[in-house]
Amino acid sequence: MDNIAVISQMRQLINLLAQHNHAYYVMDQPSITDSEYDQLFHQLKALEEQYPDCIQADTPTNKVGGQALSKFENMTHTVPMLSLGNVFNEEELFAFARRAEERLPNQQIQYDVELKFDGLAISLWYENGVLVRGVTRGDGETGEVITENIKTIRNLPKILSSDTSAIPELLEVRGEVLMPKAGFEKLNAENEAKGEKTFANPRNAAAGSLRQLDPNIAAARPLAFYAYGIAQCEPMHHLNTMSESLTWLNQLGFAVGERHFVCDSIQDVQAAYEKINQERPSLSVEIDGMVIKVNDLKQQKQLGFLSREPRWATAYKFPAVAALTTVDHIDWQVGRTGALTPVARLNPVAVGGVTISNVTLHNIGEIHRLDVRIGDTVSVYRSGDVIPKVEKVWLDFRPDTAIPVVLPECCPVCASPVVMPEGEALARCSGGLYCAAQRIEAIRHFVSRKAMDIEGLGDRWAESLLHLDLLKDVSDIYHLHEHREKLLTIEKMGEKSVQNLIDSIENSKKTTFANFIFALGIRGVGENTSRMLSNTFQTLEALRAADVEALKKTPDVGDITAEWIADFFQAEHNLEVVNRLIEAGIHWDAPIAPSRQPLNGESWVITGTLSQMGREEATQILQALGARVSGSISSKTKCLVAGEKAGSKLEKAEKAGVKVMTEAEFLEFIQQYQ
Ligand code: IVH
């Protein structure tokens, strides 16, 4: 493809993505599914990777200038970002309205009622419709410039467009960045599955994401922006009211709150507030109240400010959903990846109409931060429908008998040692294959295609087999044929499925040493490392006997992985499982001898289209010669095999001085070993 064709394809994708974003965020009417959106997004990303010179400034993938920063620049706001006064009940709300009425005698006042987003306030600068800067609120006078992170927010327009009005030369928009509830829950679930740190609430998640110096991390977080005001506009756009401002912002491409009202009286404001408080759990975003603004912009001007707060607006907060209770006990739950999560068992307490008796404390770091002890009195807090959390410990109420929390030394499920590598937030059970809590993941991994390759078991039957107590550990898979009758009791499992399952289990017994190592699911040991271990040690006996020093000499095995491998083979229960697997008949041909692995430990990369053989075949040949085939160029890359239409990898290799072979040269090169 020539550059013009590439750019036109990119433009088409960018426009399509922008349309769908608009439909999703602004119109609230998704026009395609998330997965379809992702497909378009990935197609654009792939094009950009292949043709980095053609990347468009307004791309939603935002690789442009997406350099990690060492720190954020500070910037003084031309128009300060002020705060709002608060009211907490009807009486205070009416007093707010009375004060406004007194200053606007004989005038009718309408109120604009908006959601009070619980996120982070930011200011956005658009010059001739192009987003040039995003700055945090900071202390209201000076904030941090976080433009690159801001640009990664999907629903935030990078270029303004409108069918109905001219685009101003300068527009400064104020609004809130937050993480919608669904995205927050998904992010936490993913992090939990990966054994990474979870966030206590959407606000923390949004704040943490915006403060990332590497915009690629921010890009991976599901953030959204909601506009609620205009700080500057040149030339002035004719607007009479706050609600007209919101409508105009929306027309320019900004999302605004999914609910907002104009009320003719303060009684109506109270009713709107009560309605939204009811509807709060069904809103897509977290809110902590409503913002009540005098709707007429002229009246706003007349009212002005009292010190740092407008007289024309106030925040009407929802009643705090917090209550005091005591911590009876702390349990440690073991997740599917072995991560240990502390859960406080509370004296049951009603918080915002829901009884709370358990609350997660996330990790040992959070326990230390809160300094929570068993017996302590704590405030438990619920915001919207999001998971409750401990807000603070009341040290005044701490009894002498309060017991500090310590990380257990042994897994509460399987009693294996608990490990917490330095610099990591999470403690883990080292029980691996043996730990019941980790069994389902261990089984899914064990049977996966690149491990023992037992078709159907992982996706279809694993859960039922666990329920029937047929799989205590992975070695029981090879005894399933002894339980045909029980297998037939599983829903949808007929004679034929049983036979298929048993056949594929039987077929899996003949494997390779590398696949077997990979199947064991040792931490840090992926496919490539498994192959290197197989090449280096040749036999299970040798691998089992290897000490950390010997393991470290294996290409691809660093200090930490070496420790993990050694730990794995030191654990008695892992050895038992491995022995049972071998006894069940798992076997493999001896790996290719090291003397016949001329490329042992070398890292190769293949890119572009190979015409004589598929990339898969080329990969297998290289692996058989002892090389590891990697997806990206690094300083360790020995050689790049570049087929037709090689893109950015070829450029990168050339820049880095990595040796490059054409397909013809590669074929000739491997000839000598065949
Ligand atoms: S208007 C002069 N509207 O509340 C200040 N603020 O306490 C005008 N906030 O930091 C602010 N939702 O980030 C406004 N719909 C909304 C809002 C909102 C949330 C935040 C804002 C500010 C804080 C003020």
Side-chain angles (χ1 to χ4, degrees):
M1 253 196 307
D2 63 17
N3 280 3
I4 296 178
V6 174
I7 291 173
S8 111
Q9 205 174 336
M10 283 180 174
R11 292 281 1 137
Q12 203 184 354
L13 284 164
I14 291 170
N15 292 341
L16 260 176
L17 286 163
Q19 273 171 28
H20 293 307
N21 258 332
H22 188 82
Y24 185 92
Y25 285 104
V26 181
M27 309 311 292
D28 209 13
Q29 271 170 350
S31 39
I32 49 173
T33 64
D34 282 4
S35 128
E36 286 163 344
Y37 183 95
D38 289 345
Q39 285 167 30
L40 291 176
F41 193 87
H42 286 133
Q43 197 180 343
L44 177 60
K45 233 173 155 169
L47 262 182
E48 289 176 344
E49 256 160 41
Q50 206 175 349
Y51 301 97
D53 292 344
C54 299
I55 296 179
Q56 301 290 293
D58 57 334
T59 175
T61 66
N62 279 302
K63 285 280 181 202
V64 181
Q67 293 285 323
L69 304 171
S70 54
K71 72 177 195 38
F72 297 113
E73 296 290 324
N74 282 330
M75 171 128 194
T76 302
H77 298 292
T78 332
V79 180
M81 294 183 77
L82 305 180
S83 52
L84 290 172
N86 288 319
V87 296
F88 289 92
N89 52 44
E90 193 167 354
E91 203 182 322
E92 290 174 8
L93 174 72
F94 286 9
F96 160 78
R98 243 187 340 267
R99 288 194 296 273
E101 283 159 14
E102 279 163 15
R103 286 180 176 263
L104 302 170
N106 304 322
Q107 293 187 34
Q108 277 295 338
I109 304 179
Q110 284 191 321
Y111 295 96
D112 162 72
V113 179
E114 298 173 23
L115 303 181
K116 183 168 192 304
F117 305 107
D118 194 11
L120 293 110
I122 56 160
S123 180
L124 301 174
W125 278 68
Y126 290 86
E127 286 173 10
N128 296 310
V130 178
L131 173 65
V132 292
R133 200 181 312 122
V135 188
T136 62
R137 177 175 187 276
D139 62 4
E141 297 289 337
T142 304
E144 285 177 320
V145 181
I146 52 165
T147 315
E148 294 306 323
N149 284 346
I150 288 295
K151 281 190 185 166
T152 66
I153 300 176
R154 248 172 80 171
N155 79 332
L156 185 150
K158 283 83 194 171
I159 294 183
L160 303 180
S161 67
S162 167
D163 301 336
T164 48
S165 74
I167 300 299
E169 280 161 31
L170 166 69
L171 181 69
E172 188 183 354
V173 174
R174 299 275 163 91
E176 200 95 345
V177 170
L178 38 82
M179 191 174 288
K181 291 176 197 166
F184 166 73
E185 272 153 32
K186 188 160 167 253
L187 175 71
N188 261 1
E190 281 167 6
N191 280 7
E192 198 171 329
K194 280 190 274 178
E196 286 172 10
K197 142 176 180 209
T198 55
F199 293 98
N201 57 45
R203 191 176 190 285
N204 286 4
S209 307
L210 274 190
R211 290 215 37 92
Q212 291 290 338
L213 290 164
D214 181 353
N216 291 314
I217 301 181
R221 302 278 171 82
L223 297 174
F225 175 79
Y226 292 89
Y228 56 63
I230 298 168
Q232 301 187 68
C233 179
E234 281 167 27
M236 281 271 272
H237 183 76
H238 184 72
L239 294 165
N240 290 315
T241 62
M242 196 57 231
S243 57
E244 277 174 29
S245 310
L246 292 181
T247 308
W248 186 53
L249 285 170
N250 196 226
Q251 279 166 6
L252 290 175
F254 292 96
V256 294
E258 61 206 274
R259 304 266 201 290
H260 53 95
F261 313 87
V262 175
C263 296
D264 288 330
S265 71
I266 201 69
Q267 285 79 8
D268 287 357
V269 172
Q270 174 66 24
Y273 164 87
E274 283 167 17
K275 179 169 176 302
I276 295 297
N277 195 14
Q278 293 286 321
E279 290 175 14
R280 201 171 159 197
S282 64
L283 296 178
S284 67
V285 300
E286 195 59 42
I287 56 171
D288 56 351
M290 304 297 288
V291 179
I292 320 299
K293 302 175 182 174
V294 169
N295 197 29
D296 188 296
L297 299 179
K298 272 201 230 86
Q299 290 181 337
Q300 285 192 1
K301 244 201 174 125
Q302 277 175 276
L303 287 166
F305 294 83
L306 175 66
S307 79
R308 314 208 25 85
E309 290 167 9
R311 287 202 191 88
W312 47 265
T314 192
Y316 192 174
K317 292 285 194 71
F318 291 130
V321 275
L324 292 196
T325 185
T326 49
V327 176
D328 290 345
H329 194 60
I330 295 206
D331 280 338
W332 292 83
Q333 286 181 346
V334 189
R336 300 202 307 189
T337 56
L340 262 69
T341 310
V343 178
R345 307 291 180 203
L346 307 169
N347 192 4
V349 61
V351 183
V354 176
T355 303
I356 310 281
S357 38
N358 304 307
V359 51
T360 172
L361 293 167
H362 301 283
N363 52 53
I364 188 82
E366 178 75 356
I367 292 187
H368 291 151
R369 191 185 68 76
L370 288 163
D371 185 22
V372 59
R373 303 186 184 181
I374 298 165
D376 266 341
T377 296
V378 292
S379 304
V380 182
Y381 166 92
R382 245 183 89 236
S383 48
D385 55 351
V386 178
I387 317 117
K389 67 165 202 162
V390 170
E391 195 176 30
K392 81 170 219 172
V393 175
W394 292 81
L395 294 178
D396 292 345
F397 299 142
R398 173 168 288 168
D400 294 341
T401 50
I403 307 167
V405 183
V406 284
L407 187 65
E409 281 174 18
C410 297
C411 170
V413 175
C414 74
S416 301
V418 167
V419 292
M420 182 153 162
E422 216 173 295
E424 286 198 19
L426 291 177
R428 286 167 200 285
C429 160
S430 62
L433 284 183
Y434 171 76
C435 180
Q438 297 171 64
R439 218 176 271 163
I440 183 103
E441 274 307 285
I443 290 168
R444 287 216 174 101
H445 174 77
F446 186 85
V447 302
S448 64
R449 199 172 62 79
K450 290 178 172 168
M452 298 308 288
D453 194 15
I454 304 176
E455 218 186 327
L457 201 157
D459 321 325
R460 297 192 61 191
W461 311 118
E463 302 241 6
S464 315
L465 294 169
L466 276 176
H467 280 307
L468 282 176
D469 218 16
L470 286 175
L471 297 181
K472 290 227 166 26
D473 62 57
V474 291
S475 69
D476 289 334
I477 292 173
Y478 294 93
H479 298 277
L480 282 176
H481 63 276
E482 296 158 18
H483 304 280
R484 271 175 189 270
E485 292 307 312
K486 262 194 168 176
L487 292 179
L488 284 167
T489 65
I490 298 174
E491 203 184 333
K492 297 210 181 118
M493 175 82 100
E495 290 284 353
K496 191 148 183 267
S497 316
V498 170
Q499 197 51 50
N500 285 346
L501 181 61
I502 289 174
D503 287 349
S504 62
I505 293 171
E506 187 58 33
N507 290 339
S508 77
K509 287 185 181 170
K510 166 120 176 52
T511 181
T512 65
F513 185 31
N515 285 18
F516 180 74
I517 299 171
F518 180 56
L520 296 176
I522 305 167
R523 258 195 105 196
V525 179
E527 275 173 78
N528 271 317
T529 311
S530 301
R531 208 169 301 107
M532 293 303 154
L533 289 168
S534 151
N535 289 346
T536 308
F537 292 96
Q538 297 280 309
T539 66
L540 182 58
E541 292 67 37
L543 176 61
R544 233 174 359 199
D547 60 12
V548 173
E549 283 313 307
L551 287 162
K552 273 203 293 209
K553 293 205 185 90
T554 312
D556 226 37
V557 175
D559 294 3
I560 298 174
T561 311
E563 300 260 359
W564 281 333
I565 302 169
D567 286 351
F568 180 91
F569 286 111
Q570 244 141 52
E572 197 56 43
H573 48 72
N574 287 339
L575 291 179
E576 276 169 27
V577 176
V578 170
N579 286 341
R580 277 204 294 271
L581 287 167
I582 302 299
E583 278 159 23
I586 292 182
H587 62 285
W588 51 81
D589 290 339
I592 300 165
S595 56
R596 289 180 42 224
Q597 289 168 8
L599 311 185
N600 190 21
E602 291 180 6
S603 178
W604 284 57
V605 179
I606 307 175
T607 190
T609 317
L610 303 182
S611 54
Q612 300 290 307
M613 60 173 73
R615 296 233 306 237
E616 186 73 12
E617 198 186 334
T619 304
Q620 279 167 9
I621 292 173
L622 283 169
Q623 286 173 346
L625 294 170
R628 107 191 263 289
V629 179
S630 144
S632 58
I633 305 279
S634 75
S635 60
K636 292 199 194 114
T637 309
K638 178 80 181 182
C639 183
L640 171 77
V641 180
E644 282 293 305
K645 297 199 191 119
S648 58
K649 280 182 199 157
L650 177 56
E651 255 172 57
K652 201 167 167 193
E654 279 167 350
K655 264 195 207 134
V658 166
K659 181 173 169 188
V660 179
M661 277 189 195
T662 61
E663 183 179 0
E665 286 166 340
F666 175 66
L667 291 173
E668 200 182 308
F669 173 77
I670 55 175
Q671 199 77 55
Q672 59 179 313
Y673 301 116
Q674 283 175 345

